[in-house]
C-alpha cells in the first residue's frame, strides 16, 4: 500500500478486519518488520489520539518514529505555488516535503480543512502535494476531507461489540460551538457503506454530506425516527458541507440543542452502544449520562486506533 486514504486502499474489508483482530491478539507479532525503518508523523493541527496511537503502532512494528508539529518550532510554510513570499512564511512546502521525506520511509500527515475554499479542501491540495513530491508512502491522519484511521478503528469496534449479524448503525449530527470539518463523518459514511450493516445518517437540513462519501446511504431528517431500533449510535458534529449551497461551506447552520444525544433519544434504540471519535464536548454532543453509561464505547474505540494504525503501517512496510 503506497497511499492510505480510503477503505478501498485496504482491499477486501473482511481480510483487513481479520488482520486487525490478529494484531490485537498479538500486537508485537511483526516487531522485525519495521527494523531500521522510520515513520515521520507531520501535524499541521492538534491531536491527542492520532499522535499517540500512531507512534505506538510504529513502535509495535519495531519502527523508529519522528513527530513534527509544523506550527510549533518549524518554519511557517507557504503552500501555494507562485506566491511572492514577502509575508510571514519562510519556507515553501515544495522544498519542505522532499527534505522531510529524505529522513524517513513512511509519512503520515494531519492537515485539516481550512474552510477558505471548498474546492481546495475537497481537492486535498495539501495531501496531494505530499503524495506527489515526497516519493514515499503517505497515510492520512485526518486530511481536509477524510479520517480513515478513525473509521477503520470504528469498524473494528463495531465488529467487536455487535450482538447481531447485521446491526443498525446511525450516524447523527450533534451541535457544537465551533465549525468542525466533515472528515470524520465523510469517512465514517464511506467505510460503513462498505460494511455489512444497516446504515442510517441523520442531520438537520443543509448538512447533507458529499455524495462521494454518503453514496446511497439512507438519510433521515427526523433524529428520533432514525434512532428507532439502532444498535450503534455514532455522534459527530460537522459544519455545512456545501453540497446544496456551496456558499454555506464550512458554516454553522444550526445549534439546535435538541440534537444533543441524551437518554431521551437512546430510549428508542435497541439498547444501542454510543460511539464518538473524541475529543468530545460533553452536554453539547452528548450528555454526561450517555457517555458514562455502560453502553458507551468511546474508550475502547480510541484504544482501537492503535490497532488500525498498526495494520496500516504493517501493510505499508510490506510494500516498501
Ligand atoms: C476534529 C474534527 O472534528 O475533525 C478532530 C476529530 C478527530 N475535532 C475538533 O477539532 C474538535
Ligand atoms: N479521534 C482523533 O483523531 O483524535 P485526535 O484529534 O486527538 O487525534
Amino acid at each position: 500500500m503506497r497511499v492510505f486514504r480510503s477503505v478501498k486502499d485496504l482491499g477486501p474489508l473482511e481480510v483487513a478486519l481479520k488482520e486487525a483482530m490478529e494484531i490485537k491478539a498479538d500486537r508485537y507479532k511483526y516487531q522485525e518488520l519495521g527494523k531500521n525503518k522510520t515513520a515521520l508523523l507531520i501535524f499541521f493541527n492538534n491531536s491527542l489520539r492520532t499522535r499517540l496511537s500512531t507512534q505506538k503502532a510504529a513502535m509495535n512494528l519495531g519502527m523508529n518514529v519522528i513527530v513534527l508539529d509544523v506550527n510549533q518550532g518549524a518554519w511557517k510554510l507557504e503552500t501555494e505555488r507562485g506566491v511572492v513570499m514577502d509575508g510571514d512564511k519562510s519556507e515553501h512546502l515544495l522544498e519542505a516535503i522532499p527534505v522531510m521525506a529524505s529522513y524517513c520511509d513512511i509519512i503520515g500527515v494531519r492537515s485539516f480543512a481550512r474552510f477558505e475554499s471548498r474546492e481546495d479542501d475537497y481537492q486535498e491540495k495539501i495531501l496531494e502535494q505530499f503524495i506527489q513530491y515526497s516519493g514515499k508512502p503517505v497515510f492520512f491522519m485526518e486530511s481536509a476531507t477524510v479520517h480513515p484511521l478513525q473509521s477503520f478503528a470504528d469498524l473494528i469496534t463495531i465488529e467487536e461489540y455487535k450482538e447481531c449479524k447485521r446491526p443498525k448503525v446511525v450516524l447523527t449530527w450533534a451541535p457544537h460551538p465551533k465549525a468542525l470539518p466533515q472528515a470524520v463523518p465523510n469517512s465514517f459514511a464511506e467505510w460503513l457503506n462498505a460494511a455489512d450493516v444497516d446504515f442510517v445518517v441523520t442531520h438537520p437540513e443543509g448538512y447533507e454530506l458529499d455524495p462521494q462519501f454518503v453514496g446511497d446511504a439512507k438519510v433521515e431528517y427526523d433524529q428520533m425516527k432514525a434512532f428507532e431500533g439502532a444498535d450503534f449510535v455514532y455522534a459527530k458534529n460537522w459544519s455545512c458541507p456545501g453540497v446544496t449551497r456551496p456558499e454555506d461551506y464550512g458554516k454553522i447552520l444550526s445549534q439546535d440543542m435538541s440534537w444533543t444525544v441524551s437518554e431521551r433519544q437512546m430510549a428508542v434504540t435497541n439498547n444501542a452502544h454510543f460511539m464518538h471519535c473524541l475529543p468530545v464536548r460533553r452536554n453539547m454532543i452528548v450528555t454526561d449520562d450517555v457517555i458514562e453509561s455502560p453502553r458507551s464505547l468511546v474508550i475502547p474505540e480510541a484504544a482501537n486506533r492503535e490497532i488500525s494504525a498498526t495494520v496500516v503501517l504493517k501493510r505499508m512496510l510490506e510494500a516498501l
Side-chain angles (χ1 to χ4, degrees):
M1 193 164 57
R2 292 287 299 181
V3 174
F4 176 67
R5 69 168 106 196
S6 154
V7 64
K8 295 184 199 94
D9 298 321
L10 278 185
L13 197 50
E14 327 76 75
V15 178
L17 285 170
K18 228 178 122 209
E19 204 170 317
M21 300 310 171
E22 179 201 54
I23 279 171
K24 191 154 183 176
D26 181 4
R27 63 195 72 199
Y28 305 112
K29 188 170 175 185
Y30 299 96
Q31 264 286 320
E32 293 305 311
L33 195 60
K35 191 164 183 270
N36 294 335
K37 300 286 185 235
T38 300
L40 172 59
L41 312 182
I42 301 168
F43 289 90
F44 287 85
N45 309 93
N46 297 342
S47 168
L48 186 150
R49 279 144 291 273
T50 305
R51 171 190 306 271
L52 298 179
S53 62
T54 313
Q55 287 189 57
K56 178 62 165 57
M59 293 189 283
N60 290 348
L61 296 162
M63 298 183 83
N64 302 309
V65 198
I66 310 173
V67 182
L68 177 67
D69 287 298
V70 173
N71 299 323
Q72 283 163 29
W75 302 107
K76 260 195 166 192
L77 294 177
E78 177 57 60
T79 56
E80 287 298 313
R81 194 175 172 278
V83 173
V84 177
M85 289 171 58
D86 60 356
D88 61 341
K89 294 174 179 155
S90 310
E91 177 154 30
H92 203 287
L93 202 56
L94 289 169
E95 281 77 52
I97 290 174
V99 169
M100 293 189 285
S102 73
Y103 308 133
C104 67
D105 301 283
I106 297 176
I107 303 178
V109 182
R110 166 164 284 199
S111 177
F112 287 179
R114 298 174 171 194
F115 297 134
E116 284 161 14
S117 139
R118 182 180 203 278
E119 207 182 330
D120 284 3
D121 286 345
Y122 272 72
Q123 283 176 355
E124 292 290 5
K125 276 183 95 167
I126 305 295
L127 266 292
E128 287 297 343
Q129 294 191 68
F130 274 92
I131 294 167
Q132 195 178 342
Y133 300 117
S134 71
K136 298 285 157 74
V138 173
F139 63 99
F140 289 39
M141 299 196 299
E142 188 171 337
S143 68
T145 67
V146 291
H147 195 3
L149 285 168
Q150 181 64 50
S151 305
F152 189 15
D154 295 336
L155 260 189
I156 296 167
T157 311
I158 290 170
E159 193 61 26
E160 286 178 317
Y161 286 88
K162 71 182 185 187
E163 287 153 24
C164 63
K165 198 177 166 316
R166 197 165 184 278
K168 176 174 176 180
V169 182
V170 180
L171 166 63
T172 182
W173 178 92
H176 192 277
K178 284 168 73 177
L180 294 186
Q182 294 108 42
V184 171
N186 281 346
S187 280
F188 190 74
E190 184 201 7
W191 287 65
L192 269 284
N193 279 333
D196 188 19
V197 296
D198 175 14
F199 181 49
V200 180
V201 184
T202 185
H203 53 71
E205 276 186 47
Y207 281 101
E208 290 76 16
L209 293 168
D210 195 283
Q212 66 173 301
F213 300 110
V214 79
D216 43 26
K218 257 176 270 166
V219 177
E220 169 58 67
Y221 292 99
D222 181 336
Q223 192 193 31
M224 285 301 273
K225 220 162 152 190
F227 273 48
E228 278 170 20
D231 298 296
F232 293 87
V233 166
Y234 192 99
K236 181 74 184 84
N237 172 268
W238 62 91
S239 62
C240 175
V243 170
T244 42
R245 285 168 50 91
E247 63 272 31
D248 284 347
Y249 175 65
K251 289 192 183 153
I252 295 175
L253 303 180
S254 168
Q255 292 196 311
D256 184 350
M257 297 289 281
S258 75
W259 282 75
T260 302
V261 177
S262 70
E263 295 292 359
R264 178 178 65 85
Q265 295 103 323
M266 294 306 276
V268 303
T269 67
N270 183 25
N271 194 20
H273 287 289
F274 175 80
M275 298 178 73
H276 188 280
C277 63
L278 306 183
V280 73
R281 290 191 185 227
R282 282 176 176 226
N283 305 308
M284 288 294 304
I285 302 285
V286 58
T287 62
D288 292 314
D289 289 345
V290 171
I291 198 170
E292 289 169 4
S293 90
R295 303 298 283 175
S296 170
L297 295 179
V298 295
I299 307 303
E301 182 184 354
N304 276 334
R305 290 292 307 275
E306 177 186 341
I307 308 304
S308 64
T310 307
V311 174
V312 167
L313 285 172
K314 170 181 173 281
R315 294 276 188 101
M316 288 192 149
L317 285 168
E318 285 167 345
L320 279 183

